[in-house]
Amino acid sequence: MAMSGGKDDGSPMGEMNSTPLIDVMLVLLIMFIITIPPVTHAVKIDLPIPNNEPSNEPIVDPVINKILILPTNELLWNGTPISLDQMTQYLEQTKAMSPEPELQFQPAPTTGYEIVDFALARIKRAEVEKFGFVGNEQYYNFDKADNEP
């Protein structure tokens, strides 16, 4: 039987076969890698505990508040969805502030008339003094788009 690396004349091979040695070393290396625990770098930080309860803190800005009515008839007070009753409460809070904050009102062009009417009636009942409509340019662009051929 011929062995690799030997001479053809039948003399014994003078070199050591390193293939089994490399196999054993690779198996040992894999075993050491598996048994070593992974190094974790952790920075301990005390994070605040989240509060999932709805807050009763007013979302009333002392300078400017904005009521937006979306085309879906949804009311937003400074970007937060509210009901008409909540809007009335916030309007009462603004009346109690000194000086009274400005109230901006912006209904979307495609919003239903009824919700806008209800909101304006509640604003009038609250006797808001600093009141203004914003975003009127959207109605100009909306009318132009309807009249174009």
Side-chain angles (χ1 to χ4, degrees):
M1 197 180 331
M3 297 180 82
S4 65
K7 297 182 183 172
D8 290 336
D9 62 357
S11 63
M13 188 170 80
E15 301 168 357
M16 183 174 150
N17 189 0
S18 61
T19 302
L21 180 64
I22 292 173
D23 290 344
V24 169
M25 294 302 288
L26 286 174
V27 168
L28 286 173
L29 179 66
I30 291 171
M31 293 303 291
F32 283 131
I33 289 173
I34 290 173
T35 58
I36 294 174
V39 178
T40 57
H41 298 285
V43 177
K44 294 188 179 194
I45 299 174
D46 293 329
L47 296 174
I49 299 171
N51 186 3
N52 294 336
E53 298 174 10
S55 66
N56 293 331
E57 297 177 15
I59 53 172
V60 177
D61 190 313
V63 180
I64 295 176
N65 293 295
K66 185 173 186 179
I67 297 175
L68 181 69
I69 304 180
L70 301 177
T72 59
N73 294 341
E74 184 179 7
L75 280 168
L76 299 178
W77 179 280
N78 293 337
T80 305
I82 60 167
S83 67
L84 280 170
D85 294 331
Q86 289 173 320
M87 182 185 78
T88 304
Q89 292 172 357
Y90 294 149
L91 291 172
E92 290 172 3
Q93 289 177 10
T94 60
K95 286 297 291 179
M97 293 181 175
S98 179
E100 181 182 342
E102 178 182 331
L103 180 64
Q104 297 178 347
F105 187 76
Q106 181 179 1
T110 57
T111 301
Y113 174 77
E114 191 173 87
I115 187 71
V116 175
D117 187 41
F118 288 148
L120 287 173
R122 296 221 181 175
I123 292 169
K124 182 172 177 151
R125 258 186 254 130
E127 298 177 353
V128 175
E129 293 177 7
K130 294 182 178 179
F131 176 76
F133 287 92
V134 294
N136 292 338
E137 64 277 354
Q138 66 184 343
Y139 299 108
Y140 173 75
N141 294 333
F142 182 72
D143 289 341
K144 275 182 77 174
D146 284 347
N147 294 333
E148 290 181 5

